[in-house]
Amino acid sequence: MYVGRSYRLLDFALWSRRSVIYMVVVSGLAIAAYRLPGTSGFSVPWSIVLVLGTTVSLVAGFKNSQVFTRANEALQAFSQITASSRLWSSFCRDFTDAATARQLVHRHLAWLTALRFALRRPMPWESLARAANVEFRRRRYHIQEDKTSLADELRGLLGEEAENVLKSPQPATALLDMQLTQVNGLLKSTSIPPQIYSELTKLIRDFHDQQARCDRIKNNPYPRQYAIISSMFMMIFCTLLPFGIVPVFAEMGKLGGVLGAIAIWLTIPFSALLGWVYMSLDLVGESSANPFEGGANDVPISQICRDIEIELRRGLGETNLPKPLPALNDIAT
Amino acid sequence: MYVGRSYRLLDFALWSRRSVIYMVVVSGLAIAAYRLPGTSGFSVPWSIVLVLGTTVSLVAGFKNSQVFTRANEALQAFSQITASSRLWSSFCRDFTDAATARQLVHRHLAWLTALRFALRRPMPWESLARAANVEFRRRRYHIQEDKTSLADELRGLLGEEAENVLKSPQPATALLDMQLTQVNGLLKSTSIPPQIYSELTKLIRDFHDQQARCDRIKNNPYPRQYAIISSMFMMIFCTLLPFGIVPVFAEMGKLGGVLGAIAIWLTIPFSALLGWVYMSLDLVGESSANPFEGGANDVPISQICRDIEIELRRGLGETNLPKPLPALNDIAT
Amino acid sequence: MYVGRSYRLLDFALWSRRSVIYMVVVSGLAIAAYRLPGTSGFSVPWSIVLVLGTTVSLVAGFKNSQVFTRANEALQAFSQITASSRLWSSFCRDFTDAATARQLVHRHLAWLTALRFALRRPMPWESLARAANVEFRRRRYHIQEDKTSLADELRGLLGEEAENVLKSPQPATALLDMQLTQVNGLLKSTSIPPQIYSELTKLIRDFHDQQARCDRIKNNPYPRQYAIISSMFMMIFCTLLPFGIVPVFAEMGKLGGVLGAIAIWLTIPFSALLGWVYMSLDLVGESSANPFEGGANDVPISQICRDIEIELRRGLGETNLPKPLPALNDIAT
Amino acid sequence: MYVGRSYRLLDFALWSRRSVIYMVVVSGLAIAAYRLPGTSGFSVPWSIVLVLGTTVSLVAGFKNSQVFTRANEALQAFSQITASSRLWSSFCRDFTDAATARQLVHRHLAWLTALRFALRRPMPWESLARAANVEFRRRRYHIQEDKTSLADELRGLLGEEAENVLKSPQPATALLDMQLTQVNGLLKSTSIPPQIYSELTKLIRDFHDQQARCDRIKNNPYPRQYAIISSMFMMIFCTLLPFGIVPVFAEMGKLGGVLGAIAIWLTIPFSALLGWVYMSLDLVGESSANPFEGGANDVPISQICRDIEIELRRGLGETNLPKPLPALNDIAT
Amino acid sequence: MYVGRSYRLLDFALWSRRSVIYMVVVSGLAIAAYRLPGTSGFSVPWSIVLVLGTTVSLVAGFKNSQVFTRANEALQAFSQITASSRLWSSFCRDFTDAATARQLVHRHLAWLTALRFALRRPMPWESLARAANVEFRRRRYHIQEDKTSLADELRGLLGEEAENVLKSPQPATALLDMQLTQVNGLLKSTSIPPQIYSELTKLIRDFHDQQARCDRIKNNPYPRQYAIISSMFMMIFCTLLPFGIVPVFAEMGKLGGVLGAIAIWLTIPFSALLGWVYMSLDLVGESSANPFEGGANDVPISQICRDIEIELRRGLGETNLPKPLPALNDIAT
């Protein structure tokens, strides 16, 4: 997640320069078509561009609005996980002996780790593979989960238990399951009072719910049929745009003078400017649609989980605490 | 649910080619009307098309937005069912003897099966019967529920109990009812502690709620009055469109040259292109409105239920596990 | 609720034909004004129509969107009632003796009946009294609550108790109150364990909540100030429309030929077509705003309650079950 | 809240006639500017009006949509209060002796009264002080809370206790506090079983939550920065409108004949009509933004509270019941 | 939060005057370009401005709508905190001895204080540093948290305990943790009945949830990628606007007379007026996006917390109560 004041315009322009190049090429074609003998005077009526423009704005507006809701829900899930983790730690410390508390809290951290790695795995529809994003990522930030492996982290947290967990196809679910089994055991041996059992199961249910919520967002893309229709409208609009602009500036060319000589070429900068903002509108939506893939606009789950880890370890009285993950180039991951 | 990177444009175009054909025919009529002696010069004023264009975009935008919410709610229901199923399995295993646990978990799988079959039954307003969708389905994927029968699956899961369930008009409800009765019995015989009874009834209540939610989406179409008004606007807009475009290109024909000769015929590709994207906008909404019918954009309930089944069976220590349902041609069902 | 594939265009056209008639009359006036010597050439500038068109679409879009949310909430309430009714029936059967269970379940059915009749009573702002709707209803379907009386139905369900309930100004509330009193009695006499008491009160609270939700939708119209402003915009737009169209076709008349002779008269079909779809847009919203009045687009509460009744009676072991209410002419009520 | 079929157009026109007057004056200025020698031909290009028109519709649309949500939330709060009040009364009657029950229920009515008076107090941003609304209110309805005082009503309900409550800066909160203290006392003296204690505290928590919700809506206006930007757009649009219309009708004046003589004066009725509906769009939003101030579009809290009072008093067996508050001139307050 | 009737237009104009200056400069450039020999007649086609205008309105509309939701959620969190604080105070007073109650309530006030200071800390993306806002703040109001320090306030509330809390990286979380530990201790020593323990933990969970909600809003800006795309559209639109307006007024200049002489200069006031409202639309959204930073449109958390403090201290029987924080110049902070 970008946490600076605002994206620098230059960064943004670099990131989205592919649209500018496309628009310049199409504008060139539009001017050529307008001037070449065979097709001299060819243009697309502006009225068509106008109708398309309204639709494009609406379709992109709705898409961005829905994508925003998706990303917001992802944030909510992790915010809820933070609140519940704190309670989990408090109850474990106050009602179980030190060894059990340590085990329950470390396994909780292991769950966060497993969840985090699962949410970072690439999905076919995610946009990190796009050239613009690959480049931006390489230059500006990197993702914690690329630097370690789940196996290593789990071994550090769980000891021998880790091997069993790693064998499971869904480590996160397996870990929650183990938590519940241990808590159930504490109830059966009356090591914890019934009220506390009830609080702990409530928290485990919440972790299950939040995990299911994250999985839902991760496993189900923003509907591809909406995405393609939105991109199609945008491409058609931006491709027709220069053909609609060219006759207007050509007309201006009749005024003569310096302006007259270059008027038709103004089609290129104007088309490029407009095409760039419109295509960016679509690109921005597309690049925010998958809030867990680790892009510059996504939920900083590595950072959130690290913050929880520090808090919970300090609660256990540990002193060798990991460092918070700083935002790199204003991008928290 | 389509889970590839993006629909391929070719697939999309094939799927929606009926609109293109319609637009070509109407464009032909528009050119004919404009040129035939009797009606020479006939066209629809562009200003009318413009007003309609804005309305059409808005109406389609709101419709797609509401349909999106419907589909999202369906996803949420199944995501919640997944989370609760895991808890169900954990509690059953930890607090009841092996035989009872097995029975409670298998009956839960039977409930999922019955729910799944009920949600796949065809409804009059669903769009799978549309020519475009039938064809797409035949070529690209098939639905699990078409290949087996509820009776077979239930017999495998429930043994003799299955016959009674199958007699019930609503097998899914009957199964939840049996679960509650058995859990009530466990409380009466004090086989489970009151806290666990309370957890289990909470889960059964949740299954009832999610089933009612799915039924609500299945049994109540996206309001037909909104659907028809949206389609009417779209049809009128797309039909008038070529009549509005024809005079513009006819005018361009006066420029002479190669372009002059063919200008009026440009009406056809332009109308087809525009009509195609607009009609696709409506078609996409219509094809996403019923998230359980098994279309390419729907909630992959077969896959989700299979994943739960594998997890729960593994939890029981079974080894002869079914295979996950892979997405076929990038379509998860 | 209409549960067919789609409204037939003919039905829809018949239902909304009053708008067509209005538009034809206004178009006639527009042509007359344009041609009569005194006001020859009078028209409304299209630019005004264009601005109004955008506003009308937006205002109608927002209205329909809000009305949709209202109707959806009504559906949710009844979906929740269904889920809770099933649990109610299960708990009563499993934890009270047969006579008490029967009493509690029958009184629950009585509550559903009282709620249903209360929701069907006419309110001043409801649209069933509109000519278009009266006619449609007469020809196509009828409402269960018009054929029996609350008194009759309650007597069948409650026996002597019915008279007291009928004296109460709000039978539904009185019935829920009696349920709670009886459940309280069961707790006092320790006939039910505390856990079950807690489950039953949770369900009664839910019934109270859902009833309050339905009452809120029933007693509070879609804000009349929004409704009137939306209708005003629509009427002004549709009335000015033909005056804006007439000069365009009059201009086309100068082309001569067959077309020239009839061009100005094309104002009538075009105005009628456009006015009809726009007025239908408003009418559809208006006719969906009160989801309980029993219109063709409303929540089928008679049917839902009948389905619950059948299920609950079967659960009690009764054999003389009522029949499900079929959709008549594709309209479920 | 207006509960008639629809506002009568005449009432609506009278209420909003100030906009008409404004528009007539501005139109006059526009004609003068167009005709006076010095500024002859002055007009505002329609293209500017067109862009503004779209923005104005959108801004007003979003505003009305948000205001609608606010009002709906206020309704929900009171609907929830109704449901919880019924449960409160049932539990008190069934589990405490008659005197205590009477005290708990009367104090609940006192809470409703205190809440009601607090919600009716005027706030600086509320619109009842607007000339249009003052006049409408004087002619058509009056508000219950203007006719009595909180002190009188509380004395009737609470007896001596009332004086203490009235000294408190927030009587409603003080009353809920007293309820909880008494219920706590009942638990300590084991006069009520723990389950009932738990139900009663759940209800008190709900009353606290709903009160906080109402206070939030009452104390926090619809953001003034959005309100002013919306009004600014509307005023600029409506002021420029006649200057944009005048040249179009002036042009029509060149047609000669009767129409030619009066054409330019048509600017006035057309501007007035359009300006009136647009300004009404804003005015309607503004007048619905504060759902508790007692306007014609607001939540009828006096009526709702009276209905609860009647129900709860009847439940106590009282016979001297107050009368329901009828809607006056179709306006429920 | 502004709590006056409406922002005064003058204040608003002063606040946003930078946009006016920008527009005047650009208009000057547009006139110069149009008139200078080399580029004589240069303008931007209005059709481009029109398409941009629609998009700009939509993008700004969606942005303001999402920002409104953010601010509303912040209000909800504090409204919920108020309700829960009252319950916290009641339970503590009724079920623990005076000293414990005092400690629990004072620590709760300390939590509110710590939360408040945390929410007031500046974030890179917040807009209080903008010149327009700095100036407005200096002239009109100030923020409570700027005048004292967290350390001072905590020492007053917590005594010696304060030092430990201040050492913690997150004082608010540390305080909630201490509350839960103390409450757990009360349960273990059976100083409070289990029901009350359950009520108190429910409240602590709620405080954790609301804190996580506030932190989520505080730590995660309105997505910067949406903010920049919205600002880019606005800047491009406003910059092109005068170039689109200039030819229209230049044309009017041909009418001669007084008007003719000055017509082209009308470009400046008109561009400034339009540019000002449009840029204000964006600015208003931007200035409402961070509801805790203490701006004129933000949630008045200092005031809300002070009100809770007064109430809770009075509940403890304290007499030396702090004063409510009045709104200064109609701005509550």
Side-chain angles (χ1 to χ4, degrees), chain B residues 231-256:
Chain B
S231 301
M232 272 164 43
F233 264 106
M234 197 53 89
M235 282 309 295
I236 293 176
F237 172 71
C238 288
T239 307
L240 297 187
L241 191 65
F243 292 91
I245 289 177
V246 79
V248 193
F249 282 110
E251 190 70 21
M252 207 181 280
K254 296 180 186 155
L255 295 169

mmCIF file of all heavy atoms in Angstrom, chain B residues 231-256:
data_model
loop_
_atom_site.group_PDB
_atom_site.id
_atom_site.type_symbol
_atom_site.label_atom_id
_atom_site.label_comp_id
_atom_site.label_asym_id
_atom_site.label_seq_id
_atom_site.Cartn_x
_atom_site.Cartn_y
_atom_site.Cartn_z
ATOM 1 N N SER B 231 -33.259 -4.345 -20.950
ATOM 2 C CA SER B 231 -33.107 -4.922 -22.288
ATOM 3 C C SER B 231 -33.828 -4.082 -23.340
ATOM 4 O O SER B 231 -33.341 -3.910 -24.456
ATOM 5 C CB SER B 231 -33.670 -6.349 -22.312
ATOM 6 O OG SER B 231 -33.002 -7.143 -21.386
ATOM 7 N N MET B 232 -35.003 -3.552 -22.954
ATOM 8 C CA MET B 232 -35.738 -2.721 -23.901
ATOM 9 C C MET B 232 -34.933 -1.485 -24.304
ATOM 10 O O MET B 232 -34.825 -1.142 -25.480
ATOM 11 C CB MET B 232 -37.067 -2.276 -23.298
ATOM 12 C CG MET B 232 -38.199 -3.230 -23.534
ATOM 13 S SD MET B 232 -39.606 -2.895 -22.435
ATOM 14 C CE MET B 232 -39.703 -1.106 -22.517
ATOM 15 N N PHE B 233 -34.367 -0.813 -23.314
ATOM 16 C CA PHE B 233 -33.549 0.358 -23.622
ATOM 17 C C PHE B 233 -32.392 -0.023 -24.532
ATOM 18 O O PHE B 233 -32.079 0.665 -25.508
ATOM 19 C CB PHE B 233 -32.996 0.976 -22.328
ATOM 20 C CG PHE B 233 -33.819 2.104 -21.806
ATOM 21 C CD1 PHE B 233 -34.615 1.952 -20.691
ATOM 22 C CD2 PHE B 233 -33.810 3.333 -22.453
ATOM 23 C CE1 PHE B 233 -35.385 2.999 -20.220
ATOM 24 C CE2 PHE B 233 -34.561 4.390 -21.982
ATOM 25 C CZ PHE B 233 -35.362 4.220 -20.861
ATOM 26 N N MET B 234 -31.761 -1.154 -24.216
ATOM 27 C CA MET B 234 -30.612 -1.574 -24.998
ATOM 28 C C MET B 234 -31.012 -1.865 -26.437
ATOM 29 O O MET B 234 -30.337 -1.441 -27.374
ATOM 30 C CB MET B 234 -30.003 -2.811 -24.331
ATOM 31 C CG MET B 234 -28.622 -3.137 -24.749
ATOM 32 S SD MET B 234 -27.466 -1.755 -24.599
ATOM 33 C CE MET B 234 -26.870 -1.935 -22.940
ATOM 34 N N MET B 235 -32.115 -2.596 -26.610
ATOM 35 C CA MET B 235 -32.549 -2.947 -27.962
ATOM 36 C C MET B 235 -32.907 -1.698 -28.765
ATOM 37 O O MET B 235 -32.545 -1.578 -29.940
ATOM 38 C CB MET B 235 -33.770 -3.881 -27.915
ATOM 39 C CG MET B 235 -33.440 -5.311 -27.602
ATOM 40 S SD MET B 235 -32.124 -5.963 -28.659
ATOM 41 C CE MET B 235 -32.948 -5.906 -30.268
ATOM 42 N N ILE B 236 -33.630 -0.780 -28.146
ATOM 43 C CA ILE B 236 -34.014 0.436 -28.873
ATOM 44 C C ILE B 236 -32.768 1.227 -29.243
ATOM 45 O O ILE B 236 -32.617 1.691 -30.376
ATOM 46 C CB ILE B 236 -34.985 1.280 -28.014
ATOM 47 C CG1 ILE B 236 -36.304 0.525 -27.851
ATOM 48 C CG2 ILE B 236 -35.206 2.639 -28.625
ATOM 49 C CD1 ILE B 236 -37.303 1.215 -26.956
ATOM 50 N N PHE B 237 -31.861 1.353 -28.294
ATOM 51 C CA PHE B 237 -30.631 2.099 -28.576
ATOM 52 C C PHE B 237 -29.861 1.472 -29.730
ATOM 53 O O PHE B 237 -29.464 2.160 -30.674
ATOM 54 C CB PHE B 237 -29.764 2.142 -27.307
ATOM 55 C CG PHE B 237 -28.406 2.715 -27.513
ATOM 56 C CD1 PHE B 237 -28.235 4.072 -27.756
ATOM 57 C CD2 PHE B 237 -27.277 1.908 -27.460
ATOM 58 C CE1 PHE B 237 -26.968 4.606 -27.943
ATOM 59 C CE2 PHE B 237 -26.010 2.448 -27.647
ATOM 60 C CZ PHE B 237 -25.858 3.793 -27.899
ATOM 61 N N CYS B 238 -29.666 0.155 -29.645
ATOM 62 C CA CYS B 238 -28.842 -0.496 -30.664
ATOM 63 C C CYS B 238 -29.530 -0.504 -32.022
ATOM 64 O O CYS B 238 -28.867 -0.469 -33.060
ATOM 65 C CB CYS B 238 -28.474 -1.922 -30.239
ATOM 66 S SG CYS B 238 -27.274 -1.917 -28.911
ATOM 67 N N THR B 239 -30.855 -0.555 -32.030
ATOM 68 C CA THR B 239 -31.567 -0.550 -33.301
ATOM 69 C C THR B 239 -31.507 0.832 -33.948
ATOM 70 O O THR B 239 -31.367 0.967 -35.166
ATOM 71 C CB THR B 239 -33.030 -0.980 -33.092
ATOM 72 O OG1 THR B 239 -33.039 -2.225 -32.405
ATOM 73 C CG2 THR B 239 -33.764 -1.119 -34.405
ATOM 74 N N LEU B 240 -31.589 1.882 -33.128
ATOM 75 C CA LEU B 240 -31.558 3.228 -33.705
ATOM 76 C C LEU B 240 -30.141 3.653 -34.085
ATOM 77 O O LEU B 240 -29.956 4.490 -34.965
ATOM 78 C CB LEU B 240 -32.157 4.236 -32.722
ATOM 79 C CG LEU B 240 -33.631 4.044 -32.355
ATOM 80 C CD1 LEU B 240 -34.121 5.222 -31.521
ATOM 81 C CD2 LEU B 240 -34.501 3.919 -33.611
ATOM 82 N N LEU B 241 -29.167 3.043 -33.422
ATOM 83 C CA LEU B 241 -27.777 3.452 -33.627
ATOM 84 C C LEU B 241 -27.364 3.530 -35.101
ATOM 85 O O LEU B 241 -26.882 4.582 -35.549
ATOM 86 C CB LEU B 241 -26.869 2.481 -32.861
ATOM 87 C CG LEU B 241 -25.407 2.837 -32.694
ATOM 88 C CD1 LEU B 241 -25.257 4.086 -31.842
ATOM 89 C CD2 LEU B 241 -24.655 1.684 -32.029
ATOM 90 N N PRO B 242 -27.549 2.458 -35.905
ATOM 91 C CA PRO B 242 -27.087 2.550 -37.301
ATOM 92 C C PRO B 242 -27.811 3.647 -38.076
ATOM 93 O O PRO B 242 -27.204 4.300 -38.928
ATOM 94 C CB PRO B 242 -27.426 1.180 -37.889
ATOM 95 C CG PRO B 242 -27.656 0.284 -36.730
ATOM 96 C CD PRO B 242 -28.120 1.142 -35.603
ATOM 97 N N PHE B 243 -29.069 3.868 -37.744
ATOM 98 C CA PHE B 243 -29.810 4.927 -38.431
ATOM 99 C C PHE B 243 -29.268 6.309 -38.075
ATOM 100 O O PHE B 243 -29.431 7.270 -38.807
ATOM 101 C CB PHE B 243 -31.303 4.853 -38.077
ATOM 102 C CG PHE B 243 -31.986 3.642 -38.630
ATOM 103 C CD1 PHE B 243 -32.074 2.465 -37.895
ATOM 104 C CD2 PHE B 243 -32.534 3.669 -39.906
ATOM 105 C CE1 PHE B 243 -32.693 1.344 -38.413
ATOM 106 C CE2 PHE B 243 -33.163 2.544 -40.422
ATOM 107 C CZ PHE B 243 -33.237 1.376 -39.685
ATOM 108 N N GLY B 244 -28.643 6.379 -36.908
ATOM 109 C CA GLY B 244 -28.030 7.648 -36.524
ATOM 110 C C GLY B 244 -26.644 7.805 -37.131
ATOM 111 O O GLY B 244 -26.199 8.917 -37.415
ATOM 112 N N ILE B 245 -25.968 6.672 -37.360
ATOM 113 C CA ILE B 245 -24.607 6.741 -37.899
ATOM 114 C C ILE B 245 -24.603 6.956 -39.408
ATOM 115 O O ILE B 245 -23.731 7.640 -39.945
ATOM 116 C CB ILE B 245 -23.843 5.433 -37.540
ATOM 117 C CG1 ILE B 245 -23.534 5.409 -36.048
ATOM 118 C CG2 ILE B 245 -22.566 5.322 -38.344
ATOM 119 C CD1 ILE B 245 -22.850 4.142 -35.562
ATOM 120 N N VAL B 246 -25.605 6.418 -40.078
ATOM 121 C CA VAL B 246 -25.569 6.402 -41.540
ATOM 122 C C VAL B 246 -25.400 7.799 -42.165
ATOM 123 O O VAL B 246 -24.573 7.969 -43.061
ATOM 124 C CB VAL B 246 -26.780 5.612 -42.118
ATOM 125 C CG1 VAL B 246 -28.040 6.412 -42.120
ATOM 126 C CG2 VAL B 246 -26.452 5.050 -43.485
ATOM 127 N N PRO B 247 -26.120 8.833 -41.711
ATOM 128 C CA PRO B 247 -25.949 10.116 -42.402
ATOM 129 C C PRO B 247 -24.549 10.694 -42.214
ATOM 130 O O PRO B 247 -24.046 11.387 -43.109
ATOM 131 C CB PRO B 247 -26.996 11.020 -41.746
ATOM 132 C CG PRO B 247 -27.289 10.390 -40.428
ATOM 133 C CD PRO B 247 -27.110 8.921 -40.632
ATOM 134 N N VAL B 248 -23.905 10.406 -41.090
ATOM 135 C CA VAL B 248 -22.571 10.954 -40.871
ATOM 136 C C VAL B 248 -21.592 10.400 -41.887
ATOM 137 O O VAL B 248 -20.806 11.130 -42.486
ATOM 138 C CB VAL B 248 -22.087 10.636 -39.431
ATOM 139 C CG1 VAL B 248 -20.863 11.465 -39.126
ATOM 140 C CG2 VAL B 248 -23.182 10.877 -38.433
ATOM 141 N N PHE B 249 -21.644 9.101 -42.099
ATOM 142 C CA PHE B 249 -20.723 8.520 -43.065
ATOM 143 C C PHE B 249 -21.144 8.852 -44.498
ATOM 144 O O PHE B 249 -20.299 8.978 -45.381
ATOM 145 C CB PHE B 249 -20.599 7.003 -42.858
ATOM 146 C CG PHE B 249 -19.718 6.651 -41.696
ATOM 147 C CD1 PHE B 249 -20.239 6.119 -40.534
ATOM 148 C CD2 PHE B 249 -18.353 6.886 -41.761
ATOM 149 C CE1 PHE B 249 -19.419 5.805 -39.469
ATOM 150 C CE2 PHE B 249 -17.525 6.581 -40.687
ATOM 151 C CZ PHE B 249 -18.058 6.040 -39.542
ATOM 152 N N ALA B 250 -22.442 8.991 -44.697
ATOM 153 C CA ALA B 250 -22.895 9.390 -46.029
ATOM 154 C C ALA B 250 -22.323 10.755 -46.377
ATOM 155 O O ALA B 250 -21.851 10.995 -47.499
ATOM 156 C CB ALA B 250 -24.425 9.421 -46.058
ATOM 157 N N GLU B 251 -22.313 11.621 -45.390
ATOM 158 C CA GLU B 251 -21.736 12.962 -45.578
ATOM 159 C C GLU B 251 -20.269 12.857 -45.980
ATOM 160 O O GLU B 251 -19.794 13.564 -46.877
ATOM 161 C CB GLU B 251 -21.870 13.725 -44.251
ATOM 162 C CG GLU B 251 -21.553 15.200 -44.322
ATOM 163 C CD GLU B 251 -22.618 15.947 -45.108
ATOM 164 O OE1 GLU B 251 -23.757 15.396 -45.237
ATOM 165 O OE2 GLU B 251 -22.329 17.031 -45.600
ATOM 166 N N MET B 252 -19.563 11.944 -45.306
ATOM 167 C CA MET B 252 -18.146 11.754 -45.593
ATOM 168 C C MET B 252 -17.944 11.263 -47.026
ATOM 169 O O MET B 252 -16.893 11.495 -47.629
ATOM 170 C CB MET B 252 -17.570 10.732 -44.604
ATOM 171 C CG MET B 252 -16.088 10.883 -44.341
ATOM 172 S SD MET B 252 -15.564 9.612 -43.183
ATOM 173 C CE MET B 252 -16.080 10.334 -41.637
ATOM 174 N N GLY B 253 -18.968 10.604 -47.519
ATOM 175 C CA GLY B 253 -18.882 10.081 -48.873
ATOM 176 C C GLY B 253 -18.727 11.189 -49.895
ATOM 177 O O GLY B 253 -18.229 10.979 -51.012
ATOM 178 N N LYS B 254 -19.168 12.398 -49.542
ATOM 179 C CA LYS B 254 -19.082 13.501 -50.505
ATOM 180 C C LYS B 254 -17.655 13.965 -50.746
ATOM 181 O O LYS B 254 -17.393 14.778 -51.608
ATOM 182 C CB LYS B 254 -19.928 14.674 -49.993
ATOM 183 C CG LYS B 254 -21.412 14.328 -49.919
ATOM 184 C CD LYS B 254 -22.240 15.487 -49.416
ATOM 185 C CE LYS B 254 -23.696 15.056 -49.218
ATOM 186 N NZ LYS B 254 -24.376 15.894 -48.229
ATOM 187 N N LEU B 255 -16.723 13.456 -49.894
ATOM 188 C CA LEU B 255 -15.334 13.868 -50.053
ATOM 189 C C LEU B 255 -14.712 13.269 -51.309
ATOM 190 O O LEU B 255 -13.651 13.696 -51.748
ATOM 191 C CB LEU B 255 -14.502 13.427 -48.837
ATOM 192 C CG LEU B 255 -14.876 14.091 -47.514
ATOM 193 C CD1 LEU B 255 -14.176 13.378 -46.368
ATOM 194 C CD2 LEU B 255 -14.487 15.569 -47.540
ATOM 195 N N GLY B 256 -15.364 12.290 -51.841
ATOM 196 C CA GLY B 256 -14.843 11.678 -53.064
ATOM 197 C C GLY B 256 -13.668 10.753 -52.789
ATOM 198 O O GLY B 256 -13.318 10.471 -51.648
#
